[in-house]
Amino acid sequence: GYRKGGYHAVRPGDQFAAGRYVAQRKLGWGNFSTVWLAFDVQSQRYVALKIQKSAPEFAQAALHEIEFLSEITKRDPSNCKCIIQLVDHFKHAGPNGQHICLVFELLGDSLLKLVQYNRYKGIGLDRVKRICKSILVGLDYLHNELGIIHSDLKLENVLLVSTIDPSKDPVRSGLKPNLERPEGNPNGEAALNAIEKKLKMRARRVLAKLAEKKKSAVESSRSERSLDGIDLTCKIVDFGNACWADKQFTDFIQTRQYRAPEIILGAGYSFSVDMWSFACIAFELATGEMLFTPKEGHGYSEDEDHLALMMELLGKMPKKIATMGTRSKEYFDRHGDLKRIRRLKLSSIERVLVDKYKISESDAREFARFLCPLLDFAPEKRPTALDCLKHPWLRYNEDGPLNNKDAKNIDLAQSTGSITSGDCTNIDLT
Ligand code: ATP
Ligand code: MG
Ligand code: MG
């Protein structure tokens, strides 16, 4: 990690872009970067600062991400399309090399955290619907207006607009930024004092964390924590793997559990791969468990298990589709049956929702009606994001049907082909 070509080590108080951004604390990290909460002195607000590893392949990936994010941000001036906005980007020279840095609007926890916070039990269908609407607005914008395929949709890559725990939200809690520079001479008395102070603080933090863990263990043994009062709009992030529909970079995309069948088969792809992943996300939010978790077994590969799991839940793959891809022959015989997994345990999404996840028959039926078309083996038959936004499942929530105004706006959107850029009033996210 923190070596030549790798991550850039950051201390709270470190300055970036000639002092414009001051690092506060680490928010997260990925394979390519560390992401810091930073204070933007110029605009006097908090931002998320993504500091890429410095090796050329990471720099290249960052430039790629900037290309997509710039377009996304430019075409959404009123920031209502449920996609992360890029605020700025620059280069930062450090001991491990030159790091490309991306500055984003600050968002909250990921949907994965939300599910974890709810102890993998599913977050309730009304919340699922709200989150689905946000994601669909984002996907409609990406697909219809920009021609971009995200190609790595999953829970980690959708962030809530605010944090689950308001006390950890620097904006809502009115936290004062730390604008102090770290000490210059690493062996000076002041620097050693600072280290001493830091260690003491760290010890205190560890103890506080322990106490918090103890408390939450007690709490969670009593009852699950409330998700009430959380603003459930969210935004799609991480465009490190995005591509243009008409200019693709690789055949092999998506994170395993969210991967569409045409990718496994090597049969080409389009926007509808994102719709497949979207369905996986909706299921996972509702149940707390991934829709497909394939594993390699005796005599078959992870890919084959994945295809088998899909067919157990969604029915047999039509022969024409099964045999169409460049890798079809590895998995299927000429009759369109899996070569090495012969017996399938047939079920259906609806049955699984009722039997395994104890969702009521009527809720399960309606939810399955929404999900199943998205999981069509034929990519071109999957509904688009805009189709989904018009689906009855999303137009009814705990407040009853959407009001006339919304219905009219959605019809309008339909008649003009897509929702026009810059107009944020078309679809109600509440
Ligand atoms: P990956 O390995 O997934 O490609 P990456 O290095 O490209 O990771 P990101 O996925 O962009 O990095 O970000 C890493 C983490 O930082 C996220 O999962 C999230 O927790 C946090 N993060 C990213 N952007 C923001 C933001 N705008 N606001 C708050 N947190 C963020
Ligand atoms: Mg990521
Ligand atoms: Mg990435």
Side-chain angles (χ1 to χ4, degrees), residues 217-264:
V218 173
E219 254 174 37
S220 71
S221 68
R222 276 200 224 114
S223 69
E224 111 198 32
R225 293 207 228 168
S226 169
L227 297 179
D228 295 344
I230 298 164
D231 174 358
L232 282 165
T233 59
C234 54
K235 290 188 160 212
I236 300 172
V237 306
D238 200 349
F239 286 79
N241 302 294
C243 68
W244 306 101
D246 56 10
K247 190 178 158 218
Q248 301 180 350
F249 309 99
T250 163
D251 295 339
F252 201 62
I253 54 165
Q254 301 182 305
T255 297
R256 163 58 71 184
Q257 295 85 354
Y258 305 83
R259 190 172 292 151
E262 60 267 33
I263 304 304
I264 300 174

Side-chain angles (χ1 to χ4, degrees), residues 12-47:
D14 276 358
Q15 300 188 350
F16 292 82
R20 176 169 174 186
Y21 305 104
V22 185
Q24 305 291 307
R25 64 176 163 84
K26 204 190 268 182
L27 287 172
W29 63 90
N31 296 317
F32 291 64
S33 65
T34 54
V35 178
W36 279 73
L37 173 69
F39 190 72
D40 178 354
V41 177
Q42 192 176 310
S43 68
Q44 290 286 305
R45 58 175 185 162
Y46 287 100
V47 293

Side-chain angles (χ1 to χ4, degrees), residues 15-262:
Q15 300 188 350
F16 292 82
R20 176 169 174 186
Y21 305 104
V22 185
Q24 305 291 307
R25 64 176 163 84
K26 204 190 268 182
L27 287 172
W29 63 90
N31 296 317
F32 291 64
S33 65
T34 54
V35 178
W36 279 73
L37 173 69
F39 190 72
D40 178 354
V41 177
Q42 192 176 310
S43 68
Q44 290 286 305
R45 58 175 185 162
Y46 287 100
V47 293
L49 176 64
K50 177 167 170 167
I51 308 160
Q52 196 82 343
K53 287 180 183 174
S54 60
E57 64 270 28
F58 301 116
Q60 191 53 45
L63 293 175
H64 175 88
E65 198 166 353
I66 290 168
E67 175 192 341
F68 287 91
L69 287 163
S70 306
E71 194 64 17
I72 286 164
T73 304
K74 192 175 84 197
R75 307 264 296 265
D76 177 20
S78 40
N79 192 7
C80 61
K81 300 295 189 183
C82 301
I83 310 276
I84 183 78
Q85 293 232 325
L86 185 70
V87 177
D88 190 12
H89 59 88
F90 56 88
K91 287 193 191 111
H92 183 84
N96 295 332
Q98 276 251 354
H99 303 265
I100 295 184
C101 298
L102 284 69
V103 183
F104 296 104
E105 59 174 325
L106 178 64
L107 295 176
D109 297 301
S110 75
L111 295 187
L112 184 62
K113 277 258 180 70
L114 181 71
V115 168
Q116 285 168 350
Y117 191 86
N118 208 34
R119 297 194 298 135
Y120 298 100
K121 274 176 23 193
I123 59 167
L125 289 177
D126 290 324
R127 292 194 192 92
V128 176
K129 288 179 193 189
R130 274 184 229 175
I131 289 176
C132 281
K133 280 190 207 174
S134 286
I135 299 175
L136 289 167
V137 168
L139 286 179
D140 178 51
Y141 174 57
L142 286 182
H143 294 171
N144 267 330
E145 288 186 41
L146 303 174
I148 291 173
I149 307 174
H150 183 282
S151 60
D152 195 21
L153 279 182
K154 53 180 169 175
L155 295 195
E156 294 104 296
N157 285 340
V158 182
L159 304 190
L160 293 170
V161 167
S162 49
T163 48
I164 299 168
D165 182 351
S167 69
K168 296 210 176 80
D169 185 328
V171 180
R172 275 198 284 174
S173 59
L175 192 80
K176 278 225 176 71
N178 163 24
L179 299 175
E180 266 170 47
R181 278 198 105 119
E183 303 304 325
N185 173 3
N187 293 318
E189 196 196 342
L192 292 175
N193 283 341
I195 291 171
E196 187 185 2
K197 197 171 134 196
K198 214 168 155 185
L199 284 174
K200 278 186 184 158
M201 260 163 61
R202 193 177 293 171
R204 231 175 287 148
R205 267 208 304 273
V206 169
L207 287 173
K209 243 190 200 153
L210 205 67
E212 203 179 295
K213 265 210 176 125
K214 257 162 84 181
K215 203 175 121 206
S216 83
V218 173
E219 254 174 37
S220 71
S221 68
R222 276 200 224 114
S223 69
E224 111 198 32
R225 293 207 228 168
S226 169
L227 297 179
D228 295 344
I230 298 164
D231 174 358
L232 282 165
T233 59
C234 54
K235 290 188 160 212
I236 300 172
V237 306
D238 200 349
F239 286 79
N241 302 294
C243 68
W244 306 101
D246 56 10
K247 190 178 158 218
Q248 301 180 350
F249 309 99
T250 163
D251 295 339
F252 201 62
I253 54 165
Q254 301 182 305
T255 297
R256 163 58 71 184
Q257 295 85 354
Y258 305 83
R259 190 172 292 151
E262 60 267 33

